Amino acid sequence: MKDSVLERPIYLDYQATTPTDPRVVDAMLPYLREKFGNPHSIQHTYGREAEAAVETARAQVAELLGADEREIIFTSGATESNNLAIKGVAAFQKGRRDHIVTAVTEHKCVLESCRRLEGEGWRVTYLPVGQDGLVDPAVVEAAVDDTTALVSIMAVNNEIGTIQPVDRIGEICRARGASFHSDAAQAVGKIPFDLSATKIDLLSLSGHKVYAPMGIGALFVRRRPRARLLPLFDGGGQERGLRPGTLAPHLCVGLGTACAIAKAEMDTENQRLAALSDRLRGRLEAGLDRFWINGSRDHRFVGNLNVSFQDIDAEELVRAIPGVALSTGSACTSASVEPSYVLQALGLGDDRARSGVRIGLGRFTTEAEIDQAAAEIIAAVTALRAASTAAQ
Ligand SMILES: *Cc1c(COP(=O)(O)O)cnc(C)c1O
């Protein structure tokens, strides 16, 4: 039993999903067993204990974000939160404003939501990013006017870890009367937020990026000034009418517990991750030449390293190191052989975009794993380069 666990590949794909923290699983189990009540059936103990658990979880999510618990709407994940924010604001603003602004490096679910609205007559501006992956606030300022209903810019990029200047962008949007939404699936629990002090109107998060299970997420909806949006579903009026349907208490408890843990441990965990990431970079630098870190060096989440190795096809590299689980880009596009649209947006050119490997570190990553993974990457890159030289 133990051996089979040890033989599992080293997991370095924390941006695709995080393992559920065992403390989160423990907190959830009673709500899958004896505390099975419907949180909306509060005439009896079963319902009331489920409702109490949901409300505790809501407060835990709010606490991590510096928000009020009445500003937290539970959803099935960041995809749903992003759809609700973007299409919900658009539905409310229809006939008042007709313009949406986003960036080319956003997650597919943001870009596809905008595409659908474009098909319905909305004008959408897709902002470029610099070579470092950052959106320039001056470019946002130039794009937003009093016809703009919504600006959607993510907080941390899922492929290259770039941290966008969302506080500054929020100020710009507020000054123009446009709602500002941020997809923070990769940011919540990783970088600090105090939403009470920002001008972010809507913010999406995902349970399975923050050590809770898949299938749960949340949307922050600001109360003052009130963010205006319409629901996507009709139903029983749950979640302040914005997201009807019976809540899943065990999943809410999982997300709440995960947020409480993240709040308590973020600072020490980020120091640990920064040291591991430096160690990995140091090992690669000692063992290899001709590679680049993609995205901003300074404005990035420490648990992400996106690396391009010259003359190496990322897909081939990942196949050559089955002992390490990593990704060549966003999991959502991994079935296609197209180079990553995020790396292309940095203006890197096809070769460097095709050679980008995403290395994601997290809570359960150890020094020993980093050393082993670095050794395997160095050996594989060296061998692949030697083979391609020999073939010429
Ligand atoms: C994972 C992710 C999503 C999608 O979240 P789900 O909860 O899986 O729907 C959206 N945006 C970003 C940036 C992500 O990393």
Side-chain angles (χ1 to χ4, degrees):
M1 189 66 185
K2 195 147 198 201
D3 279 348
S4 68
V5 172
L6 285 177
E7 280 162 23
R8 308 259 295 158
I10 295 168
Y11 188 72
L12 289 179
D13 202 8
Y14 275 78
Q15 276 80 48
T17 194
T18 55
T20 307
D21 190 301
R23 295 168 288 180
V24 169
V25 177
D26 287 344
M28 291 173 62
L29 286 176
Y31 298 93
L32 284 162
R33 293 198 170 121
E34 64 276 10
K35 300 184 178 180
F36 57 81
N38 182 327
H40 313 297
S41 301
I42 51 174
Q43 299 86 350
H44 50 66
T45 304
Y46 294 91
R48 279 197 297 270
E49 70 191 359
E51 189 209 25
V54 166
E55 294 314 314
T56 300
R58 194 187 307 280
Q60 288 168 317
V61 177
E63 173 84 15
L64 176 62
L65 299 177
D68 186 291
E69 56 220 53
R70 290 167 295 183
E71 296 177 313
I72 305 301
I73 301 294
F74 286 115
T75 66
S76 63
T79 299
E80 185 188 338
S81 297
N82 288 340
N83 272 268
L84 174 55
I86 295 168
K87 294 173 186 170
V89 168
F92 181 85
Q93 292 289 346
K94 201 175 164 85
R96 298 182 175 97
R97 296 180 176 225
D98 67 351
H99 180 224
I100 291 168
V101 174
T102 187
V104 291
T105 50
E106 291 296 310
H107 193 270
K108 274 273 148 79
C109 63
V110 167
L111 294 174
E112 291 304 315
S113 293
C114 290
R115 282 263 178 255
R116 182 174 298 275
L117 291 171
E118 230 176 338
E120 294 170 9
W122 286 78
R123 292 179 297 117
V124 181
T125 304
Y126 299 89
L127 299 178
V129 296
Q131 264 201 350
D132 53 8
L134 287 168
V135 173
D136 182 350
V139 172
V140 178
E141 195 150 26
V144 178
D145 60 28
D146 61 10
T147 68
T148 308
L150 178 75
V151 176
S152 183
I153 304 287
M154 72 203 319
V156 171
N157 185 271
N158 47 302
E159 289 194 42
I160 55 175
T162 310
I163 302 175
Q164 299 292 359
V166 288
D167 288 356
R168 179 75 196 102
I169 294 170
E171 310 261 347
I172 292 164
C173 297
R174 183 65 59 81
R176 304 259 193 308
S179 292
F180 178 46
H181 164 253
S182 186
D183 172 1
Q186 297 287 345
V188 168
K190 321 266 168 68
I191 63 172
F193 280 95
D194 180 8
L195 291 176
S196 69
T198 76
K199 303 218 163 35
I200 298 171
D201 297 302
L202 301 137
L203 181 131
S204 301
L205 63 122
S206 171
H208 74 98
K209 308 293 174 67
V210 64
Y211 305 96
M214 295 159 184
I216 182 78
L219 179 66
F220 159 83
V221 180
R222 181 174 297 285
R223 279 170 65 83
R224 272 197 294 267
R226 181 178 294 282
R228 307 306 301 260
L229 72 166
L230 296 180
L232 303 183
F233 303 154
D234 299 300
Q238 293 94 343
E239 300 301 273
R240 299 199 293 119
L242 285 175
R243 206 278 191 164
T246 306
L247 284 173
H250 64 295
L251 293 173
C252 297
V253 166
L255 179 59
T257 306
C259 287
I261 294 171
K263 178 149 180 82
E265 300 181 357
M266 188 187 312
D267 291 350
T268 46
E269 175 62 4
N270 280 350
Q271 284 169 30
R272 201 185 70 86
L273 286 179
L276 285 178
S277 159
D278 285 350
R279 186 181 181 98
L280 175 58
R281 194 187 294 188
R283 297 254 153 171
L284 294 178
E285 275 163 5
L288 286 173
D289 56 7
R290 294 180 290 144
F291 70 89
W292 305 272
I293 310 291
N294 297 315
S296 170
R297 276 208 169 223
D298 305 324
H299 304 279
R300 73 182 306 132
F301 166 56
V302 290
N304 170 287
L305 216 53
N306 191 303
V307 193
S308 284
F309 301 95
Q310 193 180 319
D311 304 327
I312 296 291
D313 181 88
E315 301 283 341
E316 254 180 78
L317 175 59
V318 166
R319 273 199 300 277
I321 38 174
V324 185
L326 359 114
S327 154
T328 56
S330 65
C332 324
T333 54
S334 60
S336 93
V337 290
E338 287 292 296
S340 149
Y341 70 92
V342 172
L343 295 182
Q344 283 181 311
L346 307 181
L348 295 181
D350 263 19
D351 282 353
R352 198 164 139 189
R354 262 180 223 287
S355 64
V357 177
R358 180 178 71 179
I359 308 176
L361 290 60
R363 187 174 289 167
F364 304 105
T365 308
T366 64
E367 268 187 11
E369 286 181 324
I370 290 297
D371 293 351
Q372 175 72 22
E376 292 195 27
I377 292 168
I378 291 166
V381 169
T382 306
L384 286 169
R385 282 178 179 164
S388 78
T389 310
Q392 275 163 16

